[in-house]
Amino acid sequence: MSLTRLQKEVVDWAIDCPLTTLALALVGAGWLSSYVLSFARMLVDLARPGIPLSRFGAKKGAWAVVTGATAGIGRDFALQLAGAGFNVFLASRTKSKLDEIASEITAKYPQIKTQTHAIDFSAHDADYASLKQALDKLDVGVLINNVGKSYDEPMYFQDLPEQDMTDIVEINVWDDDLMLSRSSPSNATLKCTKLVVPGMISRKRGLILTVGSFASLIPSPLLAVYSGSKAFVSTWSQALGSELKGTGVEVELLNTYFVVSKLSKIRKSSWMIPTPKTYNSAVGSVLSKIGVQGGAVGQPHISTPYHGHAPVQWVVDHLFSRAFWLGYNRKLHLDIRRRAIRKREREAAKAAKAE
Ligand SMILES: NC(=O)c1ccc[n+]([C@@H]2O[C@H](COP(=O)([O-])OP(=O)(O)OC[C@H]3O[C@@H](n4cnc5c(N)ncnc54)[C@H](OP(=O)(O)O)[C@@H]3O)[C@@H](O)[C@H]2O)c1
């Protein structure tokens, strides 16, 4: 569409007008400085210490409860919290593995008490009554809601086995009780939190830290159920954190990008993909950064404190569109799926040859 002479004159006048130039420059400078300030805020956050663990009862006889404590991130949380001076309550599925980690803690920190509790959080009849009985006797200062389940490999929703779908929702979010809208929210994350929050409120101190995932930051195609379950705990953590404001109980959703583990199926670490030990203990990482938002700039009760993960979240939150990131994640998971299928085919061929 061509402009009339009058329209052209108006446009030329606006471009030439110093006021227009000034206004455009101000808008541009404001937009740019909001990005610069947000990035600077993340850098400052990464350099400052978090709330000291003594606020939650470290070295004062308090207990840290860790779910999914026998492997990966949870196992290292247990070791680090014992090192920080918490007695440690270890809850996981396999009794022998629990005993192993408890012995390791006792050997390393003889003054630290441990208790183990074998429970399958995916079971419909998981015995929360006996878990409650055990926890009620303890001064719980910290709860690490770490247990989680993901897919065996990225796959389309319609292909996800029903049992996997139920287990992911059951462990990461809720169980049948909640799905059927019965009274109490009952699952590993919600239920364990419900068991310890009243005691924390009465003692006016506590930390509820739930391990979240970048799968909730950007929806993850081919991991749709896992991604949705992590979005649930993210929203829930922010709401709960606000509810508990002023009670002395800190709530934090720990946003996690890839970490070397059985769940992620990644074996080689890098700057962006740390081992659980590096993730929990390195300077600038999780336990020294409680209450620090890091890469989750301006998002209350969410923390991305690990120096290799924080810039990734900042970039995702500030650059490009949601559609771009959704497409990026789709490509990433299609690629992981292709490689998983190829690996399976190679292994099947090898097994057939060996027969
Ligand atoms: N690794 C990553 O890249 C990554 C990224 C983002 C978020 N996350 C989140 O981080 C958390 C930990 O992941 P991870 O990679 O450390 O996992 P992991 O290495 O696979 O460890 C899982 C732990 O959970 C326990 N567990 C699994 N199913 C259970 C069940 N049904 N009942 C009771 N305990 C059960 C396991 O105990 P047993 O061995 O005794 O069965 C083990 O101690 C999860 O919430 C995950 O979503 C991980």
Side-chain angles (χ1 to χ4, degrees):
M1 195 176 69
S2 61
L3 297 177
T4 64
R5 220 177 114 212
L6 181 64
Q7 283 170 327
K8 268 189 196 147
E9 275 172 16
V10 171
V11 170
D12 287 346
W13 172 83
I15 290 169
D16 287 345
C17 173
L19 271 181
T20 313
T21 312
L22 185 67
L24 285 175
L26 281 176
V27 169
W31 179 78
L32 196 65
S33 50
S34 75
Y35 274 60
V36 172
L37 281 176
S38 157
F39 195 78
R41 210 172 137 190
M42 178 193 74
L43 294 180
V44 169
D45 248 15
L46 293 182
R48 78 180 168 93
I51 301 169
L53 294 175
S54 56
R55 248 255 347 252
F56 308 113
K59 300 189 178 142
K60 294 174 189 161
W63 287 75
V65 178
V66 183
T67 67
T70 59
I73 298 171
R75 185 176 188 283
D76 239 81
F77 260 121
L79 286 163
Q80 300 294 338
L81 286 160
F86 285 98
N87 297 316
V88 191
F89 185 98
L90 309 150
S92 232
R93 192 169 34 188
T94 318
K95 176 83 175 96
S96 57
K97 292 189 199 169
L98 283 166
D99 291 343
E100 212 174 283
I101 169 94
S103 307
E104 192 177 333
I105 290 173
T106 310
K108 235 174 160 179
Y109 310 106
Q111 75 285 10
I112 295 297
K113 293 183 208 152
T114 60
Q115 275 192 37
T116 60
H117 195 96
I119 178 167
D120 181 351
F121 289 116
S122 70
H124 293 271
D125 55 353
D127 186 0
Y128 283 101
S130 74
L131 183 61
K132 177 173 165 40
Q133 233 172 29
L135 293 178
D136 279 352
K137 294 185 194 125
L138 306 178
D139 164 358
V140 178
V142 173
L143 168 65
I144 308 287
N145 281 317
N146 164 76
V147 71
K149 180 177 164 65
S150 185
Y151 288 27
D152 288 338
E153 68 186 43
M155 68 180 78
Y156 293 100
F157 177 71
Q158 63 274 23
D159 300 332
L160 182 67
E162 187 109 345
Q163 189 61 50
D164 281 5
M165 185 174 82
T166 315
D167 286 354
I168 290 168
V169 176
E170 188 111 22
I171 295 172
N172 299 8
V173 187
W174 59 56
D175 77 1
D176 284 356
D177 282 358
L178 193 67
M179 285 166 106
L180 296 172
S181 298
R182 290 207 210 115
S183 55
S184 65
S186 146
N187 79 328
T189 301
L190 302 188
K191 192 99 181 183
C192 290
T193 305
K194 212 146 199 245
L195 293 184
V196 302
V197 155
M200 286 179 169
I201 293 175
S202 69
R203 289 184 290 273
K204 297 188 175 58
R205 64 155 159 74
L207 169 67
I208 311 279
L209 187 146
T210 301
V211 183
S213 167
F214 272 40
S216 72
L217 191 63
I218 321 163
S220 296
L222 284 88
L223 294 180
V225 177
Y226 177 73
S227 183
S229 76
K230 290 297 183 184
F232 176 93
V233 290
S234 172
T235 302
W236 167 79
S237 292
Q238 293 170 74
L240 181 69
S242 179
E243 280 180 30
L244 294 179
K245 216 170 168 188
T247 63
V249 181
E250 193 73 28
V251 179
E252 183 161 304
L253 188 278
L254 176 65
N255 238 348
T256 304
Y257 189 51
F258 288 122
V259 173
V260 171
S261 83
K262 203 173 124 201
L263 179 140
S264 67
K265 296 180 187 65
I266 298 175
R267 291 195 192 93
K268 248 179 93 186
S269 65
S270 65
W271 184 73
M272 258 164 64
I273 306 177
T275 62
K277 189 169 178 184
T278 312
Y279 186 55
N280 289 349
S281 65
V283 177
S285 73
V286 181
L287 286 173
S288 58
K289 294 277 171 194
I290 302 300
V292 164
Q293 289 171 329
V297 181
Q299 299 173 39
H301 306 291
I302 300 194
S303 179
T304 311
Y306 181 65
H307 57 78
H309 291 175
V312 181
Q313 167 149 15
W314 191 89
V315 167
V316 168
D317 280 342
H318 291 82
L319 305 182
F320 311 116
S321 65
R322 297 298 288 175
F324 170 84
W325 288 115
L326 191 63
Y328 172 88
N329 244 1
R330 181 184 153 85
K331 274 200 200 94
L332 175 77
H333 290 116
L334 276 170
D335 187 46
I336 296 175
R337 176 177 163 76
R338 261 193 297 273
R339 278 187 280 136
I341 291 171
R342 254 186 263 137
K343 186 174 171 210
R344 226 177 326 116
E345 285 170 354
R346 267 199 315 273
E347 282 168 359
K350 219 164 144 192
K353 228 176 175 181
E355 273 172 12

